[in-house]
Amino acid sequence: MARILLDTPAVTPALGYDRIAIALATLIQQSDPRFAVGVFGGWGSGKTTLMDTIREELRNPDTLKVVFNGWRYEREPHLIVPLLDTIRGAVVAHAERQQEGAVRQTLLAVATRIGQVVRALVSGLSGKMTVGVAEVTFDAAKSVEALGDGHQRPAAEAQSLYFACFEQLAGAFAELRERGGVDRVVVFVDDLDRCLPQNALSVIESMKLFFDLTGFVFVVGIDQRVLEQAIRERLSPAGDDRSLRLAEREYVKKIFQVPYELPPMHAEQLDDLLTAVYKTARIDGEQLVDLQQTVRPYLAHLAIEGQVNPREVKRFINAYTLQMLIRPQLDRATVLAVQTVVFRYDWALYEILRAETDALPQAVKQYRDGEDSALTDLWPEQIGALPTDLAQFLRSAEAAPLTRQDLRTYLTSVESTAPTEGWVGRAYVLIGRLRRIARQGVASLEQDAAGSQLDRISRDLASAAADLRAAVVDEQRGSERFAEHLDALLDLGRAISSQPAARWSEAVEGCIGNLQRELRLLRATPARPLPVGK
């Protein structure tokens, strides 16, 4: 039997989340319920684990707990609607758990009033909706009337849809506290990191409607950088960098009265995490032994600057598990060695492995035998001094399989399950092709080769550069700088016969090195979102 590790919180939280959760739950339970808690942390840092633990610690029966996953409703034009509807559903579920009939009826009546607000917002905010093939126009004023007693309101009364909704909600939640047995509503807003930045900001702005309503506490898990990016995009035409940074900080302060930044997980805590996730996933038997004995040494090499990402650890284990199910004949240590190289995107080693798959085993062997320049010689101007953790990995027992001559088979297997986009692999293959063509050009120049041979090399260089442009720039991945470096490379290809070999080689290597640096930046940057409807 083989199980994967789901992207869900561990049943037994590591990192002392229980202590953190108890502290935050105490503040939520004992403070006046009119504030928001920001649980900040990067991708995969454990925000959901902490928020679920907080929710478990809120044991007061007078507390209504609501979970809202913003990314599920990302395509909704007005996220206040699904947010309110989620609260309505939680009130209904709470009513069904009540034994006292009067309380149950009060809760259902409150849910009905919230439902009226939702329907009014849907009609009033939509303006126009398509029903079947017919386009129906809604009148916001009529939507306001839907919230009242059905009679036309005097002109002197407010006709604002938002104002009317607020009045209705204020009355509903006051009734919830007075006769529904609910002291506070705690709304957990999670998975905003999965939303586009502007949609994440829309969810947070939808919460503002509740900030003037007594009885609400919001607990929001988000990467603060995502929120700041959204604010910057919203305000970018309005000020310089300094004013934008100030606006970002002030916005976060105004929204979240209680901020909490998740501490990073250190490599020393990896075993605590693994124990928790294995228990949660019910990993046992041969699979547990394999993970503990075969996989565990490689997980240590995932630590970047002494820190590990819980979600990345799970993805690494799942990628390995899937490969072993599909291709059980593969050597497990080689799969793990190649997979480590692919997952460590900050190392340049994956680039060499992808572009020089056949040449890398010998270079690694020479490096392990003490030839420190072996990798630098293979790809000049790219490696330089190896990062300490990469050097330690290459000379460790875990890297020994990288000296095998059949790495291409393993690279294909790993890339089918690892988080590497296809364009990345194609780009590095083409970079390797450019380097090989450039070497041929230098050799021909040094031999004073005939013009026809230099013309062929120039055409080959232009062809490889065109393929690289198609793989990167035309895929909407490239930057202006990337395109400029490609153009410079094409100019050098056309000028191959007009320069000495050493000068031409240095210029070409410089262009290729620039392309590689841009590729690394592009690989670390999220792809630009496709237009709506694509």
Side-chain angles (χ1 to χ4, degrees), residues 144-440:
V144 175
E145 293 303 321
L147 296 172
D149 55 9
H151 299 291
Q152 183 70 28
R153 296 185 173 196
E157 291 191 22
Q159 296 295 309
S160 164
L161 176 60
Y162 273 111
F163 184 82
C165 287
F166 180 84
E167 282 187 320
Q168 186 80 330
L169 290 174
F173 293 126
E175 190 174 354
L176 192 67
R177 294 192 307 278
E178 293 167 6
R179 293 188 293 276
V182 174
D183 174 64
R184 64 198 60 217
V185 180
V186 183
V187 184
F188 292 85
V189 182
D190 198 10
D191 284 333
L192 288 186
D193 293 349
R194 299 188 185 187
C195 298
L196 294 172
Q198 287 304 319
N199 289 341
L201 183 58
S202 295
V203 173
I204 292 173
E205 290 184 336
S206 296
M207 293 161 35
K208 290 180 180 178
L209 179 65
F210 300 89
F211 286 172
D212 290 329
L213 295 173
T214 300
F216 276 88
V217 177
F218 282 84
V219 182
V220 182
I222 190 170
D223 185 340
Q224 188 166 333
R225 292 171 299 178
V226 172
L227 180 56
E228 290 174 352
Q229 178 186 343
I231 299 167
R232 177 172 288 265
E233 291 175 359
R234 180 77 60 86
L235 301 176
S236 56
D240 55 25
D241 283 347
R242 184 175 180 278
S243 62
L244 288 173
R245 285 195 297 271
L246 180 61
E248 292 165 6
R249 290 194 295 269
E250 291 302 314
Y251 184 94
V252 173
K253 289 178 183 177
K254 289 178 181 178
I255 296 294
F256 301 105
Q257 292 74 36
V258 183
Y260 185 80
E261 180 79 28
L262 277 167
M265 172 176 281
H266 298 290
E268 294 80 7
Q269 298 169 297
L270 179 57
D271 286 322
D272 291 336
L273 171 69
L274 294 174
T275 299
V277 297
Y278 293 160
K279 180 179 179 180
T280 301
R282 302 193 306 278
I283 304 293
D284 55 15
E286 292 182 4
Q287 184 182 9
L288 180 60
V289 172
D290 185 37
L291 293 177
Q292 289 175 333
Q293 297 182 1
T294 309
V295 179
R296 174 61 181 85
Y298 290 88
L299 295 175
H301 297 290
L302 294 185
I304 299 177
E305 296 182 353
Q307 299 175 7
V308 294
N309 184 294
R311 185 171 290 163
E312 194 77 349
V313 169
K314 293 179 183 179
R315 288 163 68 93
F316 186 95
I317 293 172
N318 288 341
Y320 165 78
T321 300
L322 180 57
Q323 287 180 83
M324 290 298 94
L325 288 173
I326 297 173
R327 302 178 180 89
Q329 75 279 6
L330 294 181
D331 177 66
R332 294 172 181 262
T334 307
V335 168
L336 290 165
V338 173
Q339 190 169 294
T340 302
V341 172
V342 173
F343 268 70
R344 283 301 301 264
Y345 61 87
D346 56 318
W347 290 345
L349 194 58
Y350 169 69
E351 303 170 19
I352 305 177
L353 174 60
R354 198 62 180 83
E356 301 280 3
T357 310
D358 297 330
L360 182 65
Q362 180 61 29
V364 171
K365 183 179 184 304
Q366 291 172 342
Y367 184 82
R368 290 173 61 84
D369 289 341
E371 191 174 329
D372 292 345
S373 63
L375 292 170
T376 305
D377 292 343
L378 183 59
W379 262 29
E381 297 186 9
Q382 178 60 21
I383 297 296
L386 294 185
T388 301
D389 52 357
L390 174 55
Q392 291 173 344
F393 170 70
L394 287 173
R395 290 205 162 112
S396 70
E398 290 78 56
L402 295 179
T403 61
R404 293 176 57 130
Q405 293 300 316
D406 58 347
L407 291 186
R408 191 174 300 278
T409 298
Y410 289 87
L411 182 57
T412 300
S413 175
V414 170
E415 287 184 329
S416 66
T417 59
T420 298
E421 297 176 272
W423 70 273
V424 174
R426 292 195 301 275
Y428 286 132
V429 167
L430 290 166
I431 289 286
R433 179 178 161 197
L434 285 172
R435 282 199 180 279
R436 289 188 290 274
I437 295 169
R439 291 180 196 135
Q440 294 170 8

Side-chain angles (χ1 to χ4, degrees), residues 440-441 443-445 447-460 496:
Q440 294 170 8
S444 297
L445 285 172
Q447 296 168 9
D448 195 19
S452 60
Q453 187 171 346
L454 295 180
D455 287 343
R456 177 184 59 77
I457 292 169
S458 178
R459 289 194 300 273
D460 289 346
I496 186 172

